[in-house]
């Protein structure tokens, strides 16, 4: 009985040192049970053996628990640190089967803007950048810019368009908008995404010339753009752009911070949220859209704005349309706008009520089955089963409204 008490005291001291106060009642219970077994059996040797194994198992459990707690605490501390950095720096582009042109053109992840303790941007590709003003984005003189590229790989792909707006006292005072001659052929998918063809860039200046023009254009003004920390600036840096002390504001984390309930922070989604009537996905159009988005976010004008649809005529009244694929020189937004302006109705998915499915080029491999989108295959199946739904191309749609 004396030895059991010694074991219990040692275990109690161990738990006190480790701060495992919640386990002390369990230790007391273990001692009581072990003593009771010894008393009932009246055999203290057996009791000591039971106590030995009980405390050995208990010690093993404590070591495992401590190790697990350390791992969990380490992970929590890491998450807290990341969240803290994000909160400090963030004050400052749907459906996979039918992704729109604006939703798959750039990767748009919410990233920390600039670490205020360092002069280097994320990925160590841009140096000499001033961090944003902590807690405020009150710039009224700035540059809004955007680029279009042949792909997402900054080493192997090329810039094919660079557009920028110079804004002084919140007024656009100058523009830079130029195609860029790439070293590779523009993929067909990119042409459908951006509307930029190989003929458009045939006589365009090379990237070195455009970078020089852009460097002169931006002067020492703050640089503002959508996802520029993650994409545009690293891409331009790879092509030779050097930033000399310009502040940088990315409207992706800015939007994420100020509109936390908005599920999609891509530029097309923000354009729709703020009721901005502008085209996409050309770099200059995106700059104009982002200029308005930045001012809304900066001035905390965060209420949703609905666009009042202008009805030109009612020739499509009562007719339902859906769209699949992409179109050169015409965005899906433009087609949808045309449908509603002529009294028709657009729905994202097709149903028994759908009258026309407008089919474009299928460029998203995730949505293609046997060279056709899942929506197109579903429409064909409905037609085979007697549906009055019709599959048409863009030219045939234009004939409906001409």
């Amino acid at each position: 009985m004396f030895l059991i008490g010694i074991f219990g005291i040692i275990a109690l001291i161990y738990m006190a040192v480790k701060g495992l106060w919640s386990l002390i009642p369990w230790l007391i219970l273990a001692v009581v049970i072990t003593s009771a077994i010894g008393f009932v059996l009246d055999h203290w040797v057996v009791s000591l053996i039971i106590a030995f194994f009980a405390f050995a198992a208990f010690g093993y459990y404590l070591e495992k628990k401590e190790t697990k707690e350390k791992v969990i605490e380490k992970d929590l501390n890491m998450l807290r640190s990341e969240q803290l950095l994000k909160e400090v720096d963030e004050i400052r582009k749907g459906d996979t089967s039918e992704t729109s042109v604006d939703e798959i053109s750039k990767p748009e992840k919410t990233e920390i803007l600039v670490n205020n303790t360092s002069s280097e941007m994320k990925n160590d590709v841009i140096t000499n950048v001033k961090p944003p003003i902590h807690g405020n984005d009150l710039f009224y003189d700035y540059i809004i810019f955007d680029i279009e590229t042949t792909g997402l790989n900054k080493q192997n792909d090329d810039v094919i368009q660079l557009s920028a707006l110079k804004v002084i006292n919140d007024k656009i005072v100058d523009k830079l908008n130029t195609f860029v001659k790439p070293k590779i052929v523009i993929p067909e998918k990119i042409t459908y995404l951006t509307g930029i063809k190989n003929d458009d860039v045939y006589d365009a200046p090379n990237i070195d010339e455009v970078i020089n023009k852009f460097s002169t254009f931006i002067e020492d003004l703050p640089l503002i753009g959508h996802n520029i920390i993650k994409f545009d600036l690293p891409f331009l840096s790879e092509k030779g752009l050097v930033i000399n002390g310009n502040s940088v504001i990315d409207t992706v984390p800015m939007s994420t911070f100020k509109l936390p309930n908005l599920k999609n922070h891509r530029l097309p989604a923000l354009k729709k949220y703020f009721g901005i009537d502008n085209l996409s996905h050309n770099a200059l159009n995106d700059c104009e859209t982002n200029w308005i988005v930045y001012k809304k976010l900066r001035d905390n004008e965060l209420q949703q704005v609905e666009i009042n649809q202008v009805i030109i005529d009612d020739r499509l009244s009562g007719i339902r349309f859906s769209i699949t694929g992409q179109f050169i020189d015409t965005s899906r937004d433009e087609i949808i706008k045309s449908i509603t302006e002529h009294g028709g109705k657009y729905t994202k998915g097709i149903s028994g009520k759908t009258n026309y499915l407008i089919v474009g080029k299928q460029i998203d491999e995730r949505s293609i089955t046997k060279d056709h989108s899942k929506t197109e295959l579903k429409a064909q199946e409905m037609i085979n089963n007697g549906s009055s739904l019709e599959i048409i191309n863009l030219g045939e749609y234009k004939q409906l409204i001409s």
Side-chain angles (χ1 to χ4, degrees):
M1 188 67 181
F2 174 75
L3 292 177
I4 295 176
I6 296 297
F7 277 123
I9 292 172
I10 293 173
L12 181 63
I13 294 173
Y14 176 85
M15 284 188 291
V17 172
K18 295 295 185 178
L20 303 173
W21 303 105
S22 62
L23 297 179
I24 290 178
W26 296 101
L27 172 64
I28 295 173
L29 180 60
V31 171
V32 171
I33 292 174
T34 304
S35 301
I37 292 173
F39 178 78
V40 171
L41 297 178
D42 195 24
H43 200 303
W44 296 107
V45 174
V46 175
S47 181
L48 286 174
I49 293 174
I50 294 173
F52 174 79
F53 282 108
F55 287 122
F58 189 68
Y60 177 78
Y61 166 77
L62 291 179
E63 291 293 339
K64 285 290 185 181
K65 186 176 186 301
E66 181 182 8
T67 301
K68 185 177 180 180
E69 287 177 343
K70 286 182 177 179
V71 171
I72 293 174
E73 183 64 24
K74 181 179 179 181
D75 291 342
L76 287 175
N77 287 336
M78 184 178 297
L79 288 172
R80 291 187 191 105
S81 297
E82 291 177 354
Q83 183 64 27
L84 178 60
L85 283 174
K86 185 176 290 188
E87 289 176 356
V88 169
D89 290 318
E90 278 185 354
I91 306 285
R92 293 289 212 226
K93 239 143 286 204
D95 177 3
T96 58
S97 65
E98 292 300 326
T99 309
S100 74
V101 59
D102 303 305
E103 292 176 332
I104 63 176
S105 55
K106 288 185 183 180
E108 297 202 57
K109 298 179 180 178
T110 302
E111 296 289 335
I112 298 172
L113 261 175
V114 181
N115 187 338
N116 284 322
T117 63
S118 170
S119 63
E120 295 185 356
M121 279 192 176
K122 195 171 180 65
N123 298 329
D124 298 326
V125 292
I126 309 290
T127 58
N128 299 324
V129 175
K130 292 180 181 178
I133 298 175
H134 175 58
N136 295 284
D137 302 297
L138 303 180
F139 289 123
Y140 298 89
D141 301 339
Y142 47 87
I143 300 292
I144 298 278
F145 79 97
D146 186 47
I147 62 174
E148 302 295 349
T149 64
T150 59
L152 304 179
N153 189 306
K154 63 187 179 184
Q155 281 85 26
N156 300 327
D157 289 305
D158 294 321
V159 179
I160 54 177
Q161 185 185 18
L162 187 151
S163 301
L165 303 176
K166 182 175 290 185
V167 181
I168 303 298
N169 197 25
D170 267 352
K171 305 292 183 182
I172 298 174
V173 298
D174 200 1
K175 296 181 181 181
L176 173 64
N177 183 39
T178 178
F179 289 127
V180 186
K181 187 170 186 176
K183 296 178 182 178
I184 64 174
V185 174
I186 300 176
E188 182 183 41
K189 175 180 179 178
I190 299 301
T191 295
Y192 274 89
L193 283 173
T194 65
I196 302 174
K197 310 178 188 69
N198 284 291
D199 289 345
D200 296 328
V201 299
Y202 182 77
D203 292 324
N206 61 38
I207 187 61
D208 293 334
E209 183 178 344
V210 172
I211 288 291
N212 288 335
K213 287 182 179 178
F214 183 62
S215 298
T216 302
F217 183 83
I218 64 177
E219 304 176 53
D220 61 350
L221 293 169
L223 302 177
I224 299 175
H226 205 70
N227 201 40
I228 56 175
I229 296 298
K230 180 68 178 179
F231 186 78
D232 302 70
L233 282 175
F235 210 106
L236 291 176
S237 175
E238 180 69 24
K239 307 307 177 184
L241 176 66
V242 177
I243 301 296
N244 293 312
N246 301 69
S247 295
V248 174
I249 293 179
D250 194 321
T251 48
V252 171
M254 189 176 178
S255 169
T256 303
F257 179 83
K258 296 201 173 188
L259 297 170
N261 295 325
L262 194 63
K263 294 181 180 180
N264 186 339
H265 294 272
R266 296 183 178 96
L267 194 57
L270 292 172
K271 179 179 73 170
K272 182 178 180 180
Y273 180 84
F274 287 121
I276 302 170
D277 188 10
N278 193 23
L279 302 179
S280 297
H281 183 274
N282 176 280
L284 184 60
N285 291 331
D286 284 351
C287 285
E288 293 167 347
T289 297
N290 204 22
W291 169 53
I292 300 172
V293 168
Y294 167 68
K295 290 190 295 181
K296 292 280 189 181
L297 294 173
R298 180 199 63 194
D299 298 339
N300 290 317
E301 297 177 1
L302 307 178
Q303 65 276 16
Q304 186 172 0
V305 179
E306 296 291 341
I307 297 178
N308 293 324
Q309 294 290 343
V310 176
I311 305 299
I312 297 175
D313 55 54
D314 61 354
R315 69 185 68 185
L316 299 181
S317 178
I319 302 178
R320 291 173 177 257
F321 294 83
S322 187
I323 303 173
T324 180
Q326 308 298 340
F327 309 85
I328 297 180
D329 297 330
T330 303
S331 71
R332 291 167 65 136
D333 284 347
E334 290 178 89
I335 300 173
I336 294 169
K337 181 180 179 182
S338 172
I339 291 170
T340 56
E341 285 179 344
H342 291 89
K345 184 173 182 179
Y346 165 77
T347 59
K348 187 173 183 179
I350 59 174
S351 68
K353 296 181 180 180
T354 306
N355 301 106
Y356 293 99
L357 174 64
I358 306 173
V359 177
K361 177 72 174 180
Q362 304 301 331
I363 63 173
D364 185 4
E365 296 177 355
R366 298 171 299 175
S367 68
I368 298 176
T369 304
K370 298 179 181 179
D371 298 324
H372 298 282
S373 73
K374 295 175 183 177
T375 299
E376 190 177 354
L377 292 175
K378 179 181 177 182
Q380 189 60 58
E381 182 180 357
M382 291 171 60
I383 292 171
N384 294 340
N385 291 331
S387 172
S388 61
L389 170 66
E390 292 185 42
I391 299 176
I392 61 176
N393 58 36
L394 184 59
E396 291 171 317
Y397 165 73
K398 290 181 178 179
Q399 289 179 1
L400 288 176
I401 59 174
S402 64

